Amino acid sequence: VVWLPAPQVGRSSAFEDENFTRALSGRSYGIRSVSMLSGSVGYIDMRSLPYISLRRADDPARLAADAAFQLISGASAVIFDLRHSIGGYPETAGYLISAFVEPDAKIYNVFHSRDGQQSERPAQTYHSPMPDIAVYVLVSGSTASAAESVAYTLQAAERAVIVGERTRGAANPGGMLPVGHGFNVFISNATP
C-alpha cells in the first residue's frame, strides 16, 4: 500500500477557507491509499472528492490525483473504491472520470438549476487518459454525491463495472448556507 504524502498547501481560488484546505491536505485530498495488487490490478481508495480547484496543473488536489493515477498507470485493471466516499465537487468528479475516457468524450453530467446549466466536464482533463483499461468501481450505501456521479457516469459510458450496494441517492449539487449562530446547512440547488 502506498500512502500519498500531503501536498504543499496553498490558497485555492475555488475555496478560500484555509482550515478546510489544510484538513483536506492532511487526508491527501480524499485519497486514502493507492496500491498495485497481484495480477497488476491498481487500487485507489478515495474517501472524498475535494471541494477545491483542479484547473491548474500545480493545484494540490490535482497533484494528488495525478500521483495516484501515475502509481497505477501500468495496471491491467483498476479498482476504484468509493464505498466510503462522501462525495465532493462536480469538477473533481469530472477530472477523475477523464482519466478513464477519451479526451473528447461527451459523457459528462449537466446540472440544471434556476441560474442555468453547469457541466461536470473539467476545465482540464487528465493528461494521460487510460481509455482501454478495465475499471471496477466499488460502491456502498455510504457512497454519496459526486462519488455517485463518478460511478454513474463511468457505468453509463460503459467504462466501468459497478460492484456493491445501492448508493445513498444524494447526487444533487448544492452548497452550504449559513442559518445563524455559527451553523450551516447543505441545500441542494440543482439536478443532474
Side-chain angles (χ1 to χ4, degrees):
V1 173
V2 176
W3 293 92
L4 296 179
Q8 293 296 322
V9 178
R11 277 204 126 162
S12 168
S13 60
F15 200 95
E16 295 297 324
D17 184 331
E18 284 185 42
N19 293 328
F20 188 75
T21 302
R22 192 175 304 111
L24 278 177
S25 69
R27 293 185 286 156
S28 297
Y29 295 95
I31 300 169
R32 174 78 187 265
S33 66
V34 180
S35 59
M36 191 67 81
L37 307 175
S38 63
S40 189
V41 175
Y43 174 82
I44 300 173
D45 181 356
M46 189 142 203
R47 301 297 173 101
S48 67
L49 286 63
Y51 289 93
I52 58 179
S53 175
L54 297 177
R55 292 175 190 250
R56 293 188 345 255
D58 64 344
D59 285 323
R62 183 168 166 183
L63 292 173
D66 289 351
F69 292 140
Q70 180 63 36
L71 288 169
I72 56 102
S73 64
S76 58
V78 172
I79 298 171
F80 204 52
D81 191 344
L82 300 175
R83 290 176 295 173
H84 304 287
S85 182
I86 59 174
Y89 194 55
E91 186 176 343
T92 304
Y95 188 75
L96 297 175
I97 292 164
S98 78
F100 302 107
V101 299
E102 295 290 345
D104 59 348
K106 296 183 181 10
I107 62 167
Y108 299 94
N109 290 314
V110 174
F111 300 99
H112 305 275
S113 72
R114 291 181 178 156
D115 297 330
Q117 298 184 91
Q118 178 185 1
S119 175
E120 187 176 59
R121 177 184 265 300
Q124 298 292 320
T125 58
Y126 180 63
H127 59 81
S128 300
M130 303 168 271
D132 300 319
I133 195 169
V135 180
Y136 299 88
V137 180
L138 306 182
V139 296
S140 74
S142 296
T143 306
S145 190
E148 289 175 296
S149 186
V150 169
Y152 168 79
T153 303
L154 289 173
Q155 180 185 42
E158 299 180 356
R159 276 300 295 124
V161 173
I162 309 303
V163 180
E165 305 168 324
R166 181 181 302 267
T167 60
R168 184 172 287 179
N172 290 350
M176 299 300 278
L177 296 173
V179 293
H181 303 289
F183 291 97
N184 293 309
V185 65
F186 181 88
I187 305 269
S188 176
N189 60 13
T191 59

